[in-house]
Amino acid sequence: MQAEGSPAPAPAVASAVNDGRKVEIVANDTMKFSIVEIHAKPGERLSVTLVNKGLTPKFSMGHNWILIKPEVNVDAFLATAAESPTTEYVPAASRGQILASTKLLGPGEQDTATFAAPATAGQYPFLCSYPGHAQVGMRGVLIVD
């Protein structure tokens, strides 16, 4: 129970603490992730850092990294994301479908999402939700085994 007047705990979507196994993924203007498959043990802590090494400005070529639940309809998620520029293409209504994410990055920026891999073995999709990017291949999978 939280004490009266104390701030609410931050959501566990992403953390500034990089205390998990480090995984660096590079994104650039080719709209591909440098890593499309990550393996983890159930519950393993990961610190996934997305680095945007592209040169195109964020407003026309931003990149993010979003890990979603396996039952999520990816096409529906991406359609909703494309209509959410004010929340950096992360739809507020879809937050419950997201397991971890970075912020939307411009050239030379990076962000880290630190989280525990799901406890249940399976394949968990990750993608860039900037319009059109996942559709041309900016996606991958976290394999928990």
Side-chain angles (χ1 to χ4, degrees), residues 68-135:
I68 58 176
K69 295 178 179 179
E71 67 273 10
V72 173
N73 178 316
V74 174
D75 292 332
F77 180 88
L78 291 170
T80 304
E83 298 171 357
S84 305
T86 59
T87 55
E88 298 192 325
Y89 304 103
V90 179
S94 300
R95 293 247 181 234
Q97 300 174 330
I98 298 171
L99 298 172
S101 67
T102 66
K103 65 182 181 177
L104 189 68
L105 306 174
E109 294 181 326
Q110 68 180 38
D111 191 32
T112 301
T114 298
F115 59 98
T120 304
Q123 295 192 6
Y124 297 80
F126 62 81
L127 50 86
C128 174
S129 67
Y130 192 93
H133 289 197
Q135 292 87 336

Side-chain angles (χ1 to χ4, degrees), residues 52 55-63 85 88-89 104-107 109 130-131 133:
N52 184 351
L55 302 174
T56 306
K58 179 178 172 176
F59 69 86
S60 59
M61 184 71 75
H63 299 304
E88 298 192 325
Y89 304 103
L104 189 68
L105 306 174
E109 294 181 326
Y130 192 93
H133 289 197

Side-chain angles (χ1 to χ4, degrees), residues 20-22 39-47 115-119 144-145:
R21 176 170 55 93
K22 293 177 182 3
H39 288 266
K41 299 291 179 201
E44 179 182 2
R45 293 221 23 104
L46 300 171
S47 288
F115 59 98
V144 178
D145 53 9

Side-chain angles (χ1 to χ4, degrees), residues 8-71:
V13 172
S15 170
V17 178
N18 302 330
D19 64 349
R21 176 170 55 93
K22 293 177 182 3
V23 177
E24 182 176 285
I25 300 175
V26 174
N28 57 37
D29 295 342
T30 63
M31 294 184 286
K32 304 284 186 221
F33 285 135
S34 62
I35 294 175
V36 296
E37 194 171 280
I38 302 168
H39 288 266
K41 299 291 179 201
E44 179 182 2
R45 293 221 23 104
L46 300 171
S47 288
V48 175
T49 299
L50 180 65
V51 180
N52 184 351
K53 292 192 176 178
L55 302 174
T56 306
K58 179 178 172 176
F59 69 86
S60 59
M61 184 71 75
H63 299 304
N64 59 18
W65 181 88
I66 300 177
L67 178 68
I68 58 176
K69 295 178 179 179
E71 67 273 10

